[in-house]
Every structure is written in C-alpha cells, then in structure tokens.
Amino acid sequence: MKKTSILFGAAIMSLLMSCAPAENKENMTPQEEKNQVVETIMSRRSIRKYKDEIVPREVMTQILDCGINAPNGQNKQSWEIRVVDNPALMNEIKAAMAKGHPQMDSAMVAGCFRGAPVMTFIARDKSYDFSAYDCGLLAENMVLSAWSMGVGSICLGSPVRFLTDNEECRPVLEKLGFSEGYELCLCVGFGYPDETPDAKPRDKQKYRFVD
Ligand SMILES: Cc1cc2nc3c(=O)[nH]c(=O)nc-3n(C[C@H](O)[C@H](O)[C@H](O)COP(=O)(O)O)c2cc1C
C-alpha cells in the first residue's frame, strides 16, 4: 500500500514536470521552443485568474526547494518564506488589511491577492544590503519552476505596501512568524491558471552590446 502510493506520487510528479505550459508560444523562435528552460521563461505569464484548486503541498515543496536554490549573496540565504494555503488564515490577513485601510472595500482588498489559492510571503534580512535581490531571485526561481510544472503565479507588491504601512496589520504579520530583523518584501501567489494571457511587449532597446 505504502509502496503503491509512493509510486503513484512519483508518477504524478513526473507527469507534472513534463507538462510545461503549451500556451504563449507564438512569440518564440523554433530554437527557443527546443530548450525547456528558455521555453519556460518565454512562455511564463503573470496569472490573475485561478481555478478553485489548491496546489498540493508536495508540489509547493518542490517549488520552494527551487526557490532556495537561487543564487544569493555570499550564500547568506537572506530570505524567509511563509506559505499560506489555508483560506481561513488568508481571510484573517485580508480582514486585517481592510481594517488598516478603511478606504478599501473587501473586493479591493481581495483583488490585491489576485485570487491565487496559495500565497507565499517573502521577507528579507534587513541587515544585508543585497537581500532584496536575493528575494527577487528566489521568487523568480519559484515562479519559473512552478510554470514548468503547470502552476501559474503572480508576483505581488501591493499586499506588501498595504500590510506594512499601518499598525492594524502587525498582529497578522506576527502570525506569519518571520525572524527578528526580517521584513516582508514580496508576495507571490500560486495556483492552477484559469486564463492564458498574452505576452506583454518588451522593449529590446533596454539592452545593447557595448564595444
Ligand atoms: C516586484 C513586482 C511587483 C508586482 N506587483 C504586482 C501587483 O501588485 N499586482 C499585480 O497584479 N501584478 C504585479 N506584478 C506583476 C507585473 O505586473 C507583471 O510581471 C508585468 O506586468 C509583466 O507581465 P508578465 O509577468 O505577464 O510578463 C508585480 C511584479 C513584480 C516583479
């Protein structure tokens, strides 16, 4: 029984790993399509509409492991991540945000999280001047590995602003249990996509070779 469930779990994981999203390939060259990493990077899009389905913790664990394997300054790993997949706790966080911002109605507060059924809260070590970069790279590893497994994501700055600019949200932030000296710097939501957004245009003038 135990062996069967392990084999079943392994089969599910390998299936998930093999099904990189097929959408958004129209902006890719044939060479890009051949390389799985490039294909994942070029086809990923921010997802703002999700199926009402939780991402299993085994899948989230793999995404988190990819996150913490990101390059980071001096291998300080100057990040901490809290994962919330419990709707009751998410509602508590939203309620605190609403209390701290009476000008926002509940739809506006919920909109900040874009309906992602799993929310990760990423905090940075305030004592390290490069920790925000570490957290960004961690987030990117999570977002890309997720996409390669058919899991959509959305990086979110607005909840950080609305959770950290007032006293009402302090108790829920404390509940997330970040270590002393850490501050919330980014949220990333995850879930199964219920939309296939087009790629937003990128400005190729932003890079150039210099001789
Ligand atoms: C640091 C950061 C903060 C972001 N904050 C938000 C946000 O608060 N709400 C939102 O809907 N999207 C947010 N995004 C997603 C961006 O809008 C999105 O990545 C960008 O428009 C490019 O689209 P793409 O990810 O589909 O390529 C954020 C992205 C980053 C990297």
Side-chain angles (χ1 to χ4, degrees):
M1 170 66 185
K2 211 173 173 188
K3 200 174 167 193
T4 321
S5 57
I6 289 168
L7 282 172
F8 181 68
I12 296 266
M13 285 306 289
S14 65
L15 187 70
L16 287 170
M17 289 295 287
S18 67
C19 60
E23 298 85 16
N24 300 312
K25 285 192 173 174
E26 65 277 3
N27 60 334
M28 290 166 53
T29 66
Q31 204 181 1
E32 284 168 347
E33 267 192 65
K34 268 189 229 141
N35 178 307
Q36 273 193 358
V37 176
V38 175
E39 195 274 342
T40 300
I41 291 171
M42 297 303 284
S43 66
R44 180 214 57 85
R45 300 275 64 92
S46 290
I47 300 299
R48 296 183 176 86
K49 198 162 180 265
Y50 292 91
K51 293 185 176 143
D52 188 16
E53 200 180 321
I54 214 93
V55 182
R57 287 194 174 187
E58 311 84 75
V59 177
M60 279 311 300
T61 300
Q62 193 154 32
I63 292 167
L64 290 156
D65 284 338
C66 288
I68 62 170
N69 273 280
N72 64 94
Q74 298 171 41
N75 198 29
K76 280 176 180 278
Q77 302 170 56
S78 63
W79 47 55
E80 285 188 352
I81 312 115
R82 300 292 178 260
V83 186
V84 179
D85 60 6
N86 174 351
L89 179 53
M90 259 330 284
N91 286 340
E92 225 178 287
I93 293 168
K94 286 174 196 162
M97 206 195 257
K99 208 169 166 197
H101 299 89
Q103 77 281 14
M104 290 170 81
D105 63 23
S106 57
M108 282 166 80
V109 169
C112 283
F113 294 97
R114 300 291 189 189
V118 180
M119 193 55 55
T120 60
F121 296 83
I122 300 170
R124 72 173 197 98
D125 179 348
K126 288 193 283 180
S127 72
Y128 181 45
D129 53 354
F130 286 114
S131 61
Y133 304 107
D134 288 351
C135 291
L137 290 162
L138 164 108
E140 181 69 344
N141 265 21
M142 292 205 299
V143 156
L144 291 175
S145 58
W147 191 244
S148 77
M149 292 184 254
V151 177
S153 64
I154 177 83
C155 292
L156 295 167
S158 58
V160 176
R161 291 220 174 101
F162 295 128
L163 285 168
T164 55
D165 67 353
N166 69 96
E167 280 304 302
E168 296 289 351
C169 295
R170 192 184 287 272
V172 280
L173 280 179
E174 277 170 9
K175 208 164 189 178
L176 291 176
F178 291 116
S179 300
E180 189 64 38
Y182 277 71
E183 72 178 5
L184 185 64
C185 77
L186 188 63
C187 295
V188 187
F190 294 91
Y192 293 103
D194 201 18
E195 63 168 1
T196 53
D198 289 335
K200 290 187 181 160
R202 266 22 182 208
D203 177 5
K204 279 183 168 281
Q205 306 301 317
K206 289 280 184 180
Y207 64 74
R208 66 167 178 260
F209 295 92
V210 181
D211 291 315

